[in-house]
């Protein structure tokens, strides 16, 4: 983790996007944000960057530019993106293709406040221009998400860089951190809306899937896990479950369990279980999927945050890291999540997460028990949703701090 270069306590590396932002301090007009994103692995980095950009522009009226090195990955979560265009405008946000030849200065002189996040190195001309700017800009490094207790000690920590001071801004779940990316404005009632049969049927029809009357939904957007067979075995013993699988790495495990590949978009039935493959979803579409499901298997960081902010039961498949560093991060989050959770549900949820993440010596999850306790699980996640929203959202906290 890059923090150790500056004397900070290092945390485990999370494969997330890289952000840099800029705006005018002490100015009531719209602030200017420049965001740089390197797509390192999967879609979590560009997912976080794009949600940040959209919220700044739509919810807060900011001027936003976004540099992305992998437009093809970006295009999968935002269909309006053109895959081979050097400069384009998407939803009012300027999007630049960030290449080795891109200096980062195409949009003009450096802005008043720069936020560099997730271990991205700024283009050399831009880094030099920041040092030469008068008055000097504010420089903030938006860091990795972690529930570990040490985060509060290093949130807003400072490190000198030439004539500037870089401030480390940590997202988090507790007071003393920067908070989490909130759902976009207007989605507060999304869970209630997607609880209606009409809304669920319309969404599935838009994905090429037929909705059956009275069925219950689970989404699966996970990494590969040996625990998947146990969950599917439990679901097939009951009636009325429908597993929805967006295109991704979990699909291979589903196909092996079925003994037959699911169609690119379509449905198979095994016992009392229906299984449907979905196309890769845009972020608004994925939010609707999360909101309509009684349980969401999520992965990485971006979908992990979304499910919690919507207050839905979730299984988190954390990004695997060397030396099992991810085990510490998973336990830290579970400690917070389950602190007020009734027993024995808390114990079973911890065991299920260990199993789902293929941890050594983990016992098989009691999926039948957890499925029967979904109402209690959901009630607890709604309370957790209230807890994590108490500390403000990440975008507002960033803007407030810099102002």
């Amino acid at each position: 983790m890059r923090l150790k270069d500056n004397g900070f306590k290092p945390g485990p590396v999370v494969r997330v996007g890289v952000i840099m932002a800029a705006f005018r301090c002490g100015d009531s007009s719209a602030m200017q944000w420049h965001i740089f994103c390197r797509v390192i692995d999967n879609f979590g980095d560009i997912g976080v960057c794009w949600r940040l950009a959209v919220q700044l522009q739509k919810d807060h009226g900011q001027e936003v530019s976004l540099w992305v090195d992998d437009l093809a990955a970006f295009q999968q979560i935002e269909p309006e993106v053109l895959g081979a265009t050097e400069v384009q405008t998407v939803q009012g946000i300027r999007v630049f293709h960030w290449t080795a030849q891109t200096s980062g200065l195409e949009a003009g002189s450096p802005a008043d406040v720069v936020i560099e996040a997730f271990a991205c190195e700024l283009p050399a001309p831009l880094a030099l221009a920041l040092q030469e700017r008068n008055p000097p800009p504010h420089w903030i490094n938006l860091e990795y998400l972690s529930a570990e207790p040490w985060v509060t000690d290093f949130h807003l920590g400072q490190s000198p860089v030439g004539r500037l001071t870089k401030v480390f801004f940590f997202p988090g779940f507790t007071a003393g951190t920067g908070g989490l990316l909130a759902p976009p404005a207007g989605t507060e009632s999304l869970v209630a809306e997607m609880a209606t049969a009409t809304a669920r049927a319309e969404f599935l029809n838009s994905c090429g899937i037929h909705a059956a009357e009275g069925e219950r939904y689970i989404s699966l957007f996970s990494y590969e896990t040996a625990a998947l067979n146990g969950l599917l075995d439990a679901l097939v013993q009951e009636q009325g479950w429908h597993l929805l699988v967006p295109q991704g790495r979990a699909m291979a495990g589903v196909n092996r369990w079925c003994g037959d590949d699911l169609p690119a978009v379509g449905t198979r039935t095994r016992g009392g279980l229906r299984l449907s493959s979905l196309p890769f979803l845009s972020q608004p579409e994925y939010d609707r999927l999360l909101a309509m499901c009684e349980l969401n298997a999520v992965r990485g960081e971006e979908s992990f945050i979304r499910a919690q902010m919507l207050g839905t039961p979730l299984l988190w498949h954390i990004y695997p890291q060397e030396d099992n560093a991810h085990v510490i991060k998973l336990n830290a989050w579970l400690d917070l999540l389950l602190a007020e959770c009734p027993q024995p549900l808390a114990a079973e949820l911890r065991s299920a997460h260990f199993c789902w993440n293929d941890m050594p010596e983990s016992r098989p999850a009691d999926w039948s028990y957890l499925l029967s306790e979904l109402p209690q699980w959901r009630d607890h996640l709604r309370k957790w949703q209230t807890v994590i929203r108490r500390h403000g959202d990440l975008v507002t906290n960033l803007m407030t701090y810099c102002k």
Side-chain angles (χ1 to χ4, degrees), residues 36-328:
F36 280 67
C37 175
R38 291 197 187 278
V39 179
I40 304 299
D41 181 74
N42 300 308
F43 302 95
D45 38 20
I46 182 56
V48 170
C49 292
W50 185 235
R51 283 195 190 269
L52 175 62
V54 170
Q55 288 191 29
L56 285 168
Q57 196 272 336
K58 289 191 173 181
D59 299 349
H60 296 273
Q62 305 305 295
E63 298 177 11
V64 184
S65 297
L66 173 64
W67 280 260
V68 184
D69 66 337
D70 186 347
L71 292 177
F74 188 11
Q75 191 175 41
Q76 292 209 57
I77 67 167
E78 178 46 66
E80 292 185 22
V81 172
L82 303 176
T85 303
E86 293 303 310
V87 183
Q88 57 190 296
T89 299
V90 182
Q91 297 189 32
I93 296 167
R94 287 186 301 173
V95 175
F96 296 81
H97 187 197
W98 187 16
T99 66
Q101 291 73 41
T102 304
S103 70
L105 300 175
E106 285 77 1
S109 61
D112 304 278
V113 179
V114 172
I115 300 179
E116 178 188 35
F118 309 143
C120 174
E121 295 184 5
L122 297 180
L126 177 57
L128 178 63
L130 294 180
Q131 297 288 339
E132 296 176 347
R133 190 184 189 282
N134 189 25
H138 292 276
W139 188 354
I140 295 179
N141 186 43
L142 182 61
E143 263 296 345
Y144 307 108
L145 171 66
S146 177
E148 294 169 274
W150 63 263
V151 166
T152 56
D153 295 330
F154 292 95
H155 177 55
L156 302 183
Q158 299 184 6
S159 177
V161 182
R163 62 189 288 264
L164 303 179
T165 298
K166 183 187 295 189
V167 176
F168 292 85
F169 204 96
F170 281 82
F173 300 91
T174 62
T177 70
L180 302 172
L181 275 171
T187 61
E188 293 82 0
S189 61
L190 188 59
V191 173
E193 175 190 343
M194 296 306 295
T196 66
T198 299
R200 293 194 300 266
E202 289 177 351
F203 171 76
L204 290 177
N205 287 339
S206 71
C207 297
I209 304 298
H210 171 71
E213 184 176 355
E215 62 186 1
R216 305 165 71 186
Y217 300 99
I218 295 177
S219 76
L220 176 65
F221 189 63
S222 174
Y223 302 121
E224 301 85 350
T225 172
L228 178 59
N229 285 356
L231 175 59
L232 296 177
D233 289 343
L235 291 173
V236 80
Q237 298 302 318
E238 303 187 23
Q239 295 293 323
W241 283 111
H242 192 164
L243 183 72
L244 303 172
V245 190
Q247 292 297 320
R249 290 168 58 173
M251 186 66 72
V254 174
N255 290 336
R256 282 193 298 270
W257 182 86
C258 286
D260 182 22
D261 289 356
L262 292 177
V265 175
T267 302
R268 292 283 187 271
T269 301
R270 295 292 182 271
L273 174 65
R274 297 179 73 206
L275 307 98
S276 294
S277 59
L278 306 181
F280 203 96
L281 302 174
S282 68
Q283 287 184 331
E285 290 171 330
Y286 186 65
D287 286 345
R288 300 183 79 79
L289 175 67
L290 292 174
M292 69 178 279
C293 289
E294 295 195 35
L295 172 61
N296 293 295
V298 296
R299 73 187 199 192
E301 179 174 328
E302 207 271 333
S303 59
F304 168 60
I305 296 173
R306 295 277 58 73
Q308 291 176 87
M309 297 301 280
L310 289 170
T312 66
L314 72 152
L315 282 169
W316 182 29
H317 202 165
I318 189 171
Y319 188 89
Q321 296 172 292
E322 295 180 0
D323 301 323
N324 288 326
H326 62 289
V327 177
I328 299 173

